[in-house]
């Protein structure tokens, strides 16, 4: 079976439509409307394979950016390596490219819709069939296959035999596959020569599987439940499922090898990567202080003001500088939380958007941003959907967006009506960008009760009795920065947001925030056992032992800390050295 995209879209109308003629809203509309393709069988395509010549020695790279997700990081990585970028605006730009990079982001059907309606699909096939230097990233790899099951079946470009399917979560594997995993090199891949046994960063829910029909393409695999295709190479054509622009210095070496095949990288640092690593995440709570400056602060049970006469906002540094330092220190991800976002209009928060833009210029690990991502109407009566708000954050450098209060409201509505409206920010954004791009941030507090039948929410038996001798507790969700409690438990919320399209849960705890006594293991175990998506443990870390404890006692995929990193009480490298000593795999 083969996709039909390369042969079917030849009308002059589609060829004349360029990316530059599409507004952001029209791109979003295109991506939302592509769900009804009919698959057709065709004879296999014959590709002309040339030896890798390395003849593209110029400093210009052509980038196929179809308007979805965070492509800024790819741009920054290319520029960081000393190359200039020319954007594809018409199909002819693809055919005239010396080197083409296609950083596909988002959902398969949405991407194919844009490619076909702009006339890019046929040009892309012609370029690749002629063995021109090509690098596809993530979805840029998946689109080369016959078809995908994502919102489908949906036709792909039909260049590589195979169907892109969803990961199987039945064996306890979390879906999406998010984090730093190891590669098994299958053959001479050229662009992977400098990796060594190091981790690279993946974030996806769908993957292509190796088979006899596509084995001549496969240059490396990765194991997550099964062995899936991590990269392909045939002649000058390369594609990777992982994100080199988010894989630190290892990923930059992949891009450097593609851009200049004759380059000689330094001898790769040998690692011990063998499987998906546990992630250590640095979080930066960002807000404007009383002088109007954007600062990194840290709360004590969500109170960010100093306990002094001046009662000023706690200032622990500048966001861009701290993020850059954490990248150098080995943080696996950096998370920004705009803690005034629930009050202010986020698209009017230009300083926060600038923080993302500047950070992504030199920080090549994933960036998450949260705070106020919801539908808005500004002072002039102009309505902005949460999808438009999220799109601006993605275009400014975010890889994932974090939704807090709005996810609570959506979950409450769903529990009441049992109807998925598709209108919540969570549903809108995950539909267009994929659930791997959406994190739900949960801010619960412990509420003690005498018995499990005292409330309608999931309770736990507590190891230590409550203030009045209570033996049970439930976790009440809050909104507006922990200021308002809601009638929904963290367990119930987690189950619902997974169903609505969340790809990851950031699990905070108001009781433990800023206390330095360790994560709330009971809460994290409760939630990580309840869902099949990754859970990030947050709030309470004060020592390296707290990280090993949460990984050994719960199914958390990552652990996040803020204050202990800001105040240099516990360095990130100390955390990782301790985890390695305890036999827990981490990226080094």
């Amino acid at each position: 079976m083969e996709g039909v995209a390369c042969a079917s879209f030849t009308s002059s109308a589609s060829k004349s439509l360029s990316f530059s003629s599409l507004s952001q809203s029209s791109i979003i509309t295109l991506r939302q409307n592509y769900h009804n393709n009919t698959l057709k069988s065709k004879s296999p395509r014959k590709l002309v394979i040339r030896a890798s010549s390395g003849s593209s020695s110029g400093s210009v790279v052509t980038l196929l950016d179809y308007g979805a997700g965070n492509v800024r990081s790819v741009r920054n990585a290319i520029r960081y390596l000393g190359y200039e970028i020319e954007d594809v605006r018409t199909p002819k730009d693809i055919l005239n490219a010396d080197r083409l990079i296609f950083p596909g982001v988002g959902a398969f059907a949405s991407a194919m819709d844009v490619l076909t309606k702009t006339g890019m699909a046929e040009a892309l096939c012609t370029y690749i069939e002629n063995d021109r230097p090509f690098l596809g990233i993530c979805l840029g790899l998946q689109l080369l296959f016959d078809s995908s099951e994502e919102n489908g079946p949906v036709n792909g470009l039909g260049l590589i035999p195979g169907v892109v399917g969803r990961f199987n979560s039945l064996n306890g594997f979390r879906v999406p596959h998010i984090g730093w995993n190891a590669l098994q090199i299958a053959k001479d891949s050229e662009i992977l020569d400098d990796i060594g046994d190091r981790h690279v960063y993946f974030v996806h829910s769908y993957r292509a599987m190796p088979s006899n029909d596509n084995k001549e393409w496969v240059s490396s695999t990765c194991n997550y439940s099964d062995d899936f295709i991590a990269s392909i190479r045939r002649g000058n054509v390369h594609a990777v499922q992982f994100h080199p622009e988010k894989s630190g210095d290892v990923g930059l070496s992949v891009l450097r090898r593609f851009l200049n095949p004759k380059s000689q990288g330094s001898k790769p640092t040998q690692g011990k990567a063998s499987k998906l690593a546990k992630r250590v995440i640095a979080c930066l709570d960002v807000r404007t202080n009383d002088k109007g400056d954007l600062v990194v602060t840290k709360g004590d049970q969500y109170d960010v003001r100093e306990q002094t006469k001046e009662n000023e906002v706690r200032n622990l540094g500048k966001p861009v500088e701290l993020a850059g330092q954490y990248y150098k220190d080995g943080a696996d991800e950096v998370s920004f939380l705009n803690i005034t976002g629930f009050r202010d209009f986020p698209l009017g928060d230009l300083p926060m958007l600038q923080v993302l833009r500047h950070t992504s210029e030199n920080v090549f690990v994933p960036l998450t941003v949260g705070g106020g991502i919801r539908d808005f109407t500004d002072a002039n009566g102009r309505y902005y959907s949460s999808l438009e708000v999220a799109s601006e954050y993605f275009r400014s450098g975010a890889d994932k967006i974090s939704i807090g209060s709005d996810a609570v409201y959506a979950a409450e509505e769903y529990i009441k009506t049992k109807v998925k409206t598709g209108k919540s920010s969570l549903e809108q954004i995950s539909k267009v960008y994929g659930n791997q791009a959406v994190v739900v941030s949960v801010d619960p507090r412990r509420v003690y009760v005498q018995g499990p039948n005292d409330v309608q929410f999931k309770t736990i038996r507590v190891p230590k009795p409550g203030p009045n001798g209570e033996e049970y507790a439930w976790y009440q969700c809050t909104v507006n920065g922990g200021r308002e409690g809601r009638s929904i438990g963290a367990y119930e919320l987690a189950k619902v947001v997974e169903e609505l399209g969340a790809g990851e849960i950031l699990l905070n705890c108001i009781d433990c925030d800023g206390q330095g006594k360790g994560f709330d293991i009971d809460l994290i175990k409760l939630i990580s056992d309840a869902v099949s998506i990754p859970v990030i443990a947050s709030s309470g870390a004060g020592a390296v032992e707290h990280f090993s404890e949460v990984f050994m006692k719960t199914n958390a995929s990552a652990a996040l800390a803020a204050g202990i990193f800001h105040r240099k009480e516990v360095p990130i490298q100390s955390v990782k050295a301790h985890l390695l000593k305890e036999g827990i795999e981490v990226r080094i």
Side-chain angles (χ1 to χ4, degrees):
M1 180 174 65
E2 179 173 18
V4 297
C6 291
S8 300
F9 300 95
T10 57
S11 69
S12 59
S14 66
K15 285 188 176 181
S16 64
L17 183 62
S18 72
F19 287 160
S20 58
S21 69
L22 295 174
S23 66
Q24 183 65 35
S25 60
S26 62
I27 289 174
I28 290 172
T29 300
L30 285 176
R31 284 178 293 190
Q32 289 174 316
N33 291 336
Y34 188 70
H35 300 291
N36 298 313
N37 280 17
T38 301
L39 294 174
K40 299 179 182 179
S41 296
K42 290 172 64 74
S43 58
R45 306 184 68 87
K46 302 263 186 201
L47 272 69
V48 177
I49 305 302
R50 303 173 184 170
S52 178
S53 63
S55 60
S56 300
S57 57
S59 60
V60 177
V61 182
T62 302
L63 187 70
L64 202 169
D65 173 6
Y66 68 93
N70 175 19
V71 180
R72 179 178 291 271
S73 294
V74 178
R75 294 179 180 277
N76 288 335
I78 293 170
R79 294 190 178 110
Y80 183 88
L81 294 172
Y83 293 81
E84 298 177 3
I85 298 170
E86 287 186 357
D87 284 297
V88 170
R89 298 186 181 277
T90 69
K92 188 176 180 180
D93 294 334
I94 292 177
L95 300 176
N96 291 336
D98 289 326
R99 284 166 299 195
L100 179 66
I101 294 181
F102 180 21
V105 182
F108 191 102
S110 305
M112 281 302 303
D113 192 34
V114 176
L115 291 177
T116 54
K117 282 186 167 62
T118 55
M120 303 293 172
E122 186 182 356
L124 188 56
C125 286
T126 299
Y127 181 92
I128 293 173
E129 286 174 327
N130 287 326
D131 193 34
R132 307 282 296 283
F134 172 84
L135 176 62
I137 297 174
C138 194
L139 193 59
L141 176 145
Q142 294 183 11
L143 292 167
L144 303 180
F145 286 81
D146 289 332
S147 64
S148 173
E149 297 173 355
E150 184 179 8
N151 294 323
V154 179
N155 289 321
L157 295 174
L159 295 167
I160 304 176
V163 176
V164 178
R166 184 176 172 83
F167 279 108
N168 186 346
S169 61
L170 296 179
N171 296 323
F173 286 87
R174 310 265 157 176
V175 181
H177 173 219
I178 296 179
W180 299 77
N181 212 332
L183 299 181
Q184 292 80 47
I185 308 298
K187 67 177 183 182
D188 179 22
S189 61
E190 190 176 80
I191 64 172
L192 305 182
D193 287 351
D194 296 333
I195 284 185
D197 295 322
R198 306 278 298 283
H199 292 93
V200 291
Y201 183 76
F202 292 87
V203 53
H204 58 125
S205 299
Y206 291 79
R207 79 285 185 262
M209 301 295 289
S211 68
N212 288 332
D213 292 332
N214 59 38
K215 63 181 180 181
E216 64 181 295
W217 286 90
V218 178
S219 57
S220 74
T221 59
C222 176
N223 184 269
Y224 191 69
S225 179
D226 297 299
D227 288 335
F228 67 89
I229 297 174
S231 66
I232 62 99
R233 185 216 175 168
R234 193 169 177 182
N236 291 309
V237 176
H238 302 266
V240 294
Q241 179 63 69
F242 60 90
H243 285 267
E245 79 283 7
K246 289 296 172 182
S247 296
D249 58 344
V250 175
L252 291 175
S253 76
V254 173
L255 291 172
R256 185 183 296 109
R257 282 282 188 176
F258 170 73
L259 294 170
N260 184 7
K262 293 183 178 180
S263 66
Q264 295 296 321
S266 58
K267 185 177 180 180
T269 302
Q270 290 301 309
K272 296 181 180 179
S274 64
K275 61 182 179 180
L276 184 67
K278 296 293 188 180
R279 288 172 283 151
V280 177
I281 301 175
C283 180
L284 291 81
D285 293 335
V286 180
R287 66 158 291 166
T288 304
N289 66 10
D290 298 323
K291 298 178 182 178
D293 300 322
L294 208 61
V295 300
V296 175
T297 188
K298 184 66 191 80
D300 182 351
Q301 296 187 315
Y302 287 28
D303 181 2
V304 299
R305 292 189 175 272
E306 300 283 7
Q307 302 303 308
T308 61
K309 180 180 179 180
E310 292 77 15
N311 197 223
E312 60 189 5
V313 172
R314 194 171 290 115
N315 182 353
L316 296 177
K318 297 180 179 179
V320 176
E321 291 180 3
L322 270 180
Q325 185 59 53
Y326 292 145
Y327 169 60
K328 294 177 183 177
D329 291 344
D332 298 314
E333 296 183 24
V334 174
S335 179
F336 291 104
L337 180 60
N338 181 0
I339 62 175
T340 55
F342 63 89
R343 290 196 295 266
D344 303 326
F345 175 46
L347 288 186
D349 193 358
L350 296 180
M352 192 64 205
L353 294 175
Q354 283 298 104
V355 164
L356 279 173
R357 292 166 187 155
H358 291 313
T359 300
S360 66
E361 290 177 0
N362 296 290
V363 174
F364 300 107
V365 293
L367 302 176
T368 301
V369 65
I373 297 174
R374 63 186 189 276
D375 295 347
F376 274 91
T377 300
D378 67 16
N380 298 319
R382 164 73 192 278
Y383 170 77
Y384 296 85
S385 72
S386 57
L387 188 58
E388 290 178 282
V389 175
S391 295
E392 187 58 34
Y393 277 117
F394 285 130
R395 301 297 293 177
S396 296
D399 301 283
K400 296 183 281 188
I401 58 94
S402 177
I403 303 174
S405 299
D406 209 45
V408 176
Y409 302 139
E412 290 175 335
E413 184 66 20
Y414 179 72
I415 289 174
K416 182 170 64 176
T417 66
K418 304 300 181 184
V419 174
K420 293 181 182 180
T421 65
K423 296 180 180 179
S424 69
S425 57
L426 174 53
E427 292 169 279
Q428 289 184 60
I429 298 166
S430 63
K431 180 180 179 180
V432 173
Y433 291 101
N435 66 337
Q436 69 273 3
V438 181
V439 181
V440 167
S441 180
V442 189
D443 296 316
R445 60 163 52 94
R446 183 176 286 197
V447 179
Y448 290 97
V449 292
Q450 293 294 342
N453 296 324
D454 289 356
V455 289
Q456 59 183 322
F457 310 110
K458 182 77 171 180
T459 61
I460 62 165
R461 192 179 188 100
V462 295
K464 295 181 180 180
N468 298 311
E470 300 96 337
E471 295 183 356
Y472 291 84
W474 67 286
Y475 288 92
Q476 181 187 32
C477 291
T478 67
V479 295
N480 295 337
R483 289 167 173 79
E484 178 187 343
R486 303 293 294 187
S487 294
I488 184 172
Y491 176 90
E492 290 75 21
L493 177 80
K495 300 285 283 186
V496 171
V497 297
E498 178 179 15
E499 189 170 345
L500 292 178
E504 199 167 21
I505 290 176
L506 171 57
L507 189 56
N508 307 296
C509 179
I510 295 176
D511 306 284
C512 296
D513 181 62
Q515 302 304 294
K517 298 178 181 179
F519 299 100
D520 189 327
I521 299 299
D522 295 328
L523 170 63
I524 297 163
K525 180 172 174 52
L526 174 70
I527 303 305
S528 62
D529 287 349
V531 296
S532 61
I533 57 179
V535 172
I536 302 169
S538 176
S539 304
V544 294
E545 291 80 10
H546 294 152
F547 290 85
S548 56
E549 179 186 34
V550 77
F551 289 139
M552 289 177 175
K553 293 184 177 180
T554 78
N555 286 314
S557 299
L560 174 151
I564 59 171
F565 295 155
H566 303 336
R567 295 186 292 267
K568 297 180 172 54
E569 296 168 354
V570 179
I572 292 172
Q573 284 301 324
S574 295
V575 173
K576 291 195 168 185
H578 170 74
L579 292 173
L580 284 172
K581 183 179 178 181
E582 295 297 319
I584 298 170
E585 183 148 343
V586 293
R587 176 184 74 107
I588 59 174

